[in-house]
Amino acid sequence: MSAPLLELHGIAKSFGPVIALDRVDLTIGAAEAVGLIGDNGAGKSTLVKILSGLYPPTAGTMRFDGREVRFGSPSDARAAGIEMIYQDLALCGDLDVAANVFLGRETRRRYGPFRFLDRVAMREAARKVMRELGADLEPDRIVGALSGGQRQLVAVARALQFQPRLMLLDEPTAALSTEKIRVLMGLIEQLKSRGVSILMISHRFTDILHVCDRVVVVRQGRIAGEIAPHAQTPEKTMAAMHALMTGDALGAAA
């Protein structure tokens, strides 16, 4: 059996007297999709912010691709191969698609001692990755004029452009229509087929069941349990997830 892509051991995070995470252990394998669920304030977002380099852990160790890592910033996490797609997508509405795909990591070319943005190369690369995602979205379109589903595609394209090993998704379907949710689920399956691992936070149990190989439940900053979503009927799986979220042992046993 191959070693996990990501290994967390005893990860803790405190904000003053408030304990957001308490000794969390978690593994994610290569090309594996893991769902992360829990009530508001359970610690889900804090965990993915640690993985994405936004927060340093208070305690614990993290190994990625076989080596111990500690990220001081999101750029450290990206350099290691971890990309984050936030719930608000973190896009600039007044810029075009190509500029958003390369935001903060623009391609430049040199003329003598000077370096300029290579807008032609960025447009062509953005067009290519959009086509790979099955989207006919021109790179010069202004993002602020796009639909919610199209903006989601831009966020995914930005992450894919830099060949991530692990993709973190925070409530990716929250603002999408049913049709766009279906498209996004297809994109996640496509990512898995490319060997990309997924950690997805979602309050929609049906999304989790559709694409995730495992579901990890967080309650009060700790891992409350883990469920194999396809080992029983969807109804029983959802009941078990709800029981772990609420601490209802009798419901879990049922």
Side-chain angles (χ1 to χ4, degrees):
M1 183 177 178
S2 60
L5 176 66
L6 175 73
E7 298 174 84
L8 304 182
H9 297 288
I11 292 293
K13 180 63 179 177
S14 298
F15 298 94
V18 178
I19 299 174
L21 292 175
D22 186 9
R23 293 166 292 176
V24 168
D25 295 337
L26 176 68
T27 63
I28 300 178
E32 182 182 31
V34 175
L36 193 65
I37 66 172
D39 286 332
N40 291 338
K44 308 181 302 297
S45 292
T46 299
L47 181 58
V48 295
K49 286 175 180 176
I50 288 173
L51 294 176
S52 66
L54 279 172
Y55 291 160
T58 304
T61 60
M62 177 163 59
R63 297 181 67 83
F64 189 74
D65 202 17
R67 64 184 181 88
E68 187 170 333
V69 294
R70 188 176 180 90
F71 302 136
S73 67
S75 61
D76 290 345
R78 290 190 190 110
I82 299 176
E83 288 285 345
M84 175 80 178
I85 298 180
Y86 298 94
Q87 185 173 352
D88 64 2
L89 303 182
L91 300 174
C92 291
D94 57 342
L95 299 180
D96 62 26
V97 168
N100 272 278
V101 168
F102 284 88
L103 193 64
R105 292 171 285 185
E106 291 81 2
T107 299
R108 299 178 184 274
R109 57 182 174 178
R110 184 181 296 276
Y111 285 101
F114 305 105
R115 298 181 71 212
F116 299 90
L117 291 179
D118 194 341
R119 299 186 186 279
V120 172
M122 287 191 289
R123 281 197 297 268
E124 287 306 310
R127 181 179 286 109
K128 179 181 178 182
V129 72
M130 282 296 173
R131 286 175 178 168
E132 289 176 355
L133 292 173
D136 186 17
L137 193 58
E138 287 301 313
D140 57 353
R141 291 190 62 183
I142 299 301
V143 163
L146 301 180
S147 69
Q150 289 172 324
R151 288 194 294 269
Q152 186 80 60
L153 286 169
V154 175
V156 172
R158 180 174 61 188
L160 281 182
Q161 183 62 29
F162 299 95
Q163 300 180 331
R165 302 287 304 285
L166 172 64
M167 186 87 81
L168 310 174
L169 304 172
D170 188 357
E171 296 286 1
T173 64
L176 299 185
S177 66
T178 300
E179 174 60 23
K180 295 305 181 183
I181 289 173
R182 185 190 64 78
V183 172
L184 180 62
M185 294 300 103
L187 290 176
I188 292 173
E189 293 286 4
Q190 188 180 138
L191 290 173
K192 289 171 61 180
S193 71
R194 295 183 182 191
V196 179
S197 300
I198 306 290
L199 181 63
M200 183 171 77
I201 296 175
S202 181
H203 69 283
R204 290 173 53 93
F205 285 1
T206 51
D207 297 342
I208 292 285
L209 295 181
H210 183 73
V211 297
C212 291
D213 304 297
R214 287 187 292 131
V215 179
V216 174
V217 183
V218 182
R219 187 176 74 250
Q220 298 177 350
R222 296 183 176 184
I223 301 297
E226 182 178 301
I227 297 169
H230 308 299
Q232 54 190 348
T233 66
E235 292 77 16
K236 288 186 177 180
T237 299
M238 286 192 283
M241 289 192 292
H242 184 268
L244 285 170
M245 287 173 60
T246 59
D248 182 2
L250 291 178

